[in-house]
């Protein structure tokens, strides 16, 4: 049995158990504490990050025909890092040259290597936090969690599912078919896992590791070689990932080119050439619906797993904790300035108001309550900077600017004083009527929210579910005090392919999706065709081939 | 718990166990014996079949705008049966109207209903045998087995996998996340199975039930409604299936339209309109590569599972039982006149001959040995009729005629005296050189085989594996006495996505694929993109949706 597999066997078994039971579990501590990661870990991570700035990123023996890289931190400075780059054909050839050795490695060995890569990525979490912070605009604490341990948990989850699927069929069996009074027919049969080929992972700018690790590790564990195509604005987190993977592969005597980096430049992206290459068998994509649709339509026979986008809704019917509700929603809208794929955009509120523990609250009081809660949450500039972070892409600021005209401004967006030099924007909250569908029925990525006046909560649920079905939605939230009405709404959202959070008022938010418990995206509406991570996400990344012969 | 589920629980559990262990198991006896099926079962089945001839097939309450049906038995007579037919929009609307009730039925109820349908189909096996025989041309014994119990086993296998996948995630869990010294966050979470929508099953003429049941039952068990589109030449077996399904559904108080028949006529097929309909979410297709490719390219967002076609190979390197090998190959070529998707077509034999227990056999002696074994197998006209059956499609006879010019005739094809009035043809065996690629490198469906002279067994293995990779192959066979060479070849065929049978000489044949043990088609080469039945075949036919709320 393989050394690395044995080293990490307990983690793998715990992950399998957690995925089956779906209670809380995590392999990698989310608290950026020196007690856990080592007293110097924070400083060491920052130093490791700083040491990369302005340099050539080192990927030993990686195909290299040129250097690319033009990342600029949303907090201000240019990173000045360059990465090895190569033509698509060069990358494909290198990937194919590494394929046979990787496909022939036993599943235990491949899984052991994946788990070792994750363990090393975990140890590099502080360096990764800085890399994620300065490419995505996430504040440090979030960059640590989402870019580090939470992403690693999602990677481990994919490895656990891959292991379960690969070991579901025995490697051998004896088949004995009775023949009445004659001797039975006895065959010995052997099965082996055969990978699909090359897996292409297309990363996004806002969550370069969290959204890429499931596809990366699912393809890798099942024996495929992987080409990682980062967003040109967020190369560093995936370059570090690829470097760690290549290091472990080489140590284990396997070709480092099993994992390749396909770095490119804005305006000269190689993504389309990779997607349409006939040698690419699997594509994991995170990004816009437009490019997602193009990818699904143009992939040359590859299986395509996507997380695209959608307009997420909150429906407010009634609550027993008006202040808690407003505070919870305020945080969900503010966190990372609404740049999470799980952030709410549309808040449906009955025109006639809602029932609360304080009596009826009018539509305006609800909209005002949320706006005030945001103001309160962000009143301290340092706290505001820690919650909102920075805006990853200048286009998002322009979108906020353009959105001001779409409704009555209940709360205006503004830069954050606590983050000088950074590109920032607090949430814009607009009041609109349900009939203003042009305003709210498309995804407006960033800190833009609509409080939408509807005839009733049921009307809001219907509209939210219909919107999820037609345009996509990853999350939905409901505030409702009646259990029967909650269950009815849960059915409506389920059939629209949306996961629903109900009556969140404390320290848990609709945006949050926990590995091993929450399936991220259902795959059942236009916000994505796959779920992170279920059996369907891994089971088709390999095939099972058999040979049989009469038993002698 | 559901009554039907409880009634069939033991069968389901045994099927799950068999699928996990992959030894021999079958739920439905393959022997057409009165002791098993009842002393009058054979006569009753024939009477039931005869009673349908020349009549309107009854599908109570099925959408009907016209009647179609022009089946003619390959054994001679026209069936004279008409079936209800309706426009695509009518069928889609009826399927959608039935969707909510079916999707809302608990998985136990749906699985119980599927198992009851299978149990009733099993009791109708003798009627089904006649229906399959007179639409496909299979001889009675084969029509009974492949059209009845073996198809039912494949259906049960799909139900068992669907059940395993649907119950993999718990329906509820409590998620408790520690918060240091503060109170933990506790959420209750509930998950439910959400189907994709409408499943379309496109049947073929030669194995109308065996190839359709996996997709039909996989989609049905996972909550999708199903539209069954039979081949215009083999409607009856699937019409009987649909009738049984609708009967059980109606008895259980569910809409019969959960399962619909989409009968049509040659030259006026509605298949393309069904494939391209945006309401169709899942397509299971069995048939030609050309229409398979069209379906994969033109399905409007549906997931497509295909079994297409390929050129299956045998490579002969050496044997310890020359006569047993020749007899085994002779039977594989003759069974149902080569009209099985698993039948071999290309037999690669070294130009310099092969080593046997009788010493070296030359290429000509090997070709002659196979030809003589066919002659011997088919020397008795009644036995020949029982092995070869009849030719399903007149085009196959024309193909045999045209193939005579493709090489040196080692054994000519001829009609079978024991089947007067039937459309019959025994195997044509042609000797060609490996370079005559135009002759053998495409699938020539029917009783056509090539004995191909190659430089060496390794050359044959390489050519057979390459052909599988480029054109597709469902089966491969190898005769080789050296274990190390067997294992090397097994690797070559595995990476070409072909299941391999080695040294078959007795009562088991490369054509045979047993449910619960042999995965039929790997999905890893152009002969099909899916496997019957693995987790990947069912896991993506439904999605899992969750709702969560703070635990109170």
């Amino acid at each position: 049995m393989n050394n690395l597999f044995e080293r990490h066997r307990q983690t793998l078994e715990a992950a399998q158990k957690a995925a089956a039971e779906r209670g809380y579990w995590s392999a990698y501590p989310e608290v950026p504490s020196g007690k856990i990661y080592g007293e110097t870990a924070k400083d060491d991570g920052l130093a490791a990050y700083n040491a990369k700035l302005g340099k050539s990123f080192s990927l030993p023996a990686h195909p290299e025909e040129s250097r690319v890289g033009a990342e600029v931190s949303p907090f201000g400075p240019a990173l000045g890092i360059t990465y090895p780059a190569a033509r698509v054909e060069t990358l494909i050839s290198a990937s194919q040259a590494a394929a046979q050795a990787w496909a022939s490695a036993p599943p235990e060995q491949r899984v052991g290597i994946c788990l070792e890569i994750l363990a090393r990525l975990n140890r590099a979490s502080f360096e990764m936090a800085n890399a994620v912070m300065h490419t995505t605009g996430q504040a440090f604490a979030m960059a640590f969690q989402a870019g580090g341990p939470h992403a690693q948990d999602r990677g481990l989850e994919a490895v656990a599912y891959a292991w379960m699927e690969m070991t579901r069929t025995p490697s051998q069996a004896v088949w004995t078919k009775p023949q009445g009074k004659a001797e039975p027919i006895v065959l010995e049969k052997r099965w082996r896992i055969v990978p699909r080929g090359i897996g292409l992972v297309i990363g996004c700018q806002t969550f370069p590791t969290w959204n890429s690790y499931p596809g990366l590790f699912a393809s890798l564990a099942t024996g495929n070689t992987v080409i990682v195509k980062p967003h040109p604005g967020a190369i560093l987190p995936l370059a570090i990932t690829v470097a760690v993977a290549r290091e472990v592969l080489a140590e284990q005597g396997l070709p480092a080119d099993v994992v390749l980096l396909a770095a490119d430049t804005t305006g000269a992206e190689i993504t389309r050439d990779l997607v349409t290459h006939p040698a690419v068998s699997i594509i994991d994509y995170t990004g816009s619906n437009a490019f997602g649709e193009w990818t699904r339509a143009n992939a040359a026979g590859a299986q395509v797993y996507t997380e695209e986008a959608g307009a997420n809704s909150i429906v407010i019917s009634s609550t027993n904790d008006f202040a808690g509700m407003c505070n919870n929603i305020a945080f969900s809208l503010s966190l990372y300035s609404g740049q999470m794929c799980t952030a709410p955009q549309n808040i449906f509120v009955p025109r006639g108001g809602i029932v609360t523990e304080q009596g009826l609250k009018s539509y305006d009081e609800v909209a005002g309550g949320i706006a005030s809660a945001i103001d309160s949450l962000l009143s301290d500039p340092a706290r505001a900077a820690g919650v909102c972070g920075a805006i990853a892409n200048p286009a998002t600021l322009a979108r906020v600017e353009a959105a001001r005209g779409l409704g009555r401004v209940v709360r205006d967006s503004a830069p954050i004083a606590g983050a000088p030099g950074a590109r920032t924007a607090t949430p814009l909250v607009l009041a609109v009527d349900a009939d203003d569908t042009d305003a709210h029925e498309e995804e407006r990525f960033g800190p833009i929210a609509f409080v939408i006046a509807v005839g009733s909560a049921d009307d809001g649920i219907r509209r939210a579910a219909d919107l999820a079905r037609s345009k996509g939605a990853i999350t939905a939230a409901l505030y409702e005090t009646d259990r029967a009405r909650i269950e009815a709404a849960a059915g409506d959202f389920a059939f629209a392919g949306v996961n629903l959070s109900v009556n969140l008022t404390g320290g848990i938010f609709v945006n949050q999706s926990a590995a091993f418990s929450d399936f991220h995206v259902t795959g059942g509406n236009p916000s994505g065709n796959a779920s992170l991570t279920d059996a369907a996400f891994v089971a088709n990344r390999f095939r099972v081939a058999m040979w049989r012969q009469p038993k002698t």
Side-chain angles (χ1 to χ4, degrees), chain A residues 202 275-276 283 285 287-309 471 525-530:
Chain A
I202 303 171
V275 167
T276 54
I283 298 172
Y285 166 80
S288 70
N289 299 77
F291 198 76
E293 186 175 341
W294 185 88
T295 298
R296 285 184 276 107
N298 290 280
Q303 294 180 49
V304 182
Y305 302 88
T306 71
E307 180 189 322
E308 304 178 36
K471 299 283 185 71
N525 70 43
S527 66
N529 72 1

Side-chain angles (χ1 to χ4, degrees), chain A residues 29-42:
Chain A
E30 69 177 10
V31 183
S33 157
K35 292 204 180 74
I36 297 165
Y37 285 93
E39 290 304 335
T40 64
K42 187 169 184 180

Side-chain angles (χ1 to χ4, degrees), chain A residues 40 50 66 89 115-116 140 156 166 189 203 206 242 266 284 293 335 337 357 401 413 478 494 503 533 537:
Chain A
T40 64
N50 283 332
S66 62
E89 281 303 336
L115 295 171
E116 176 66 17
F140 182 81
L156 172 59
M166 289 193 292
K189 302 187 178 188
T206 46
V242 168
T266 303
D284 286 277
E293 186 175 341
L335 184 61
S337 296
E357 84 285 5
E401 186 60 35
S413 175
L478 172 70
N503 294 334
T533 289
F537 187 69

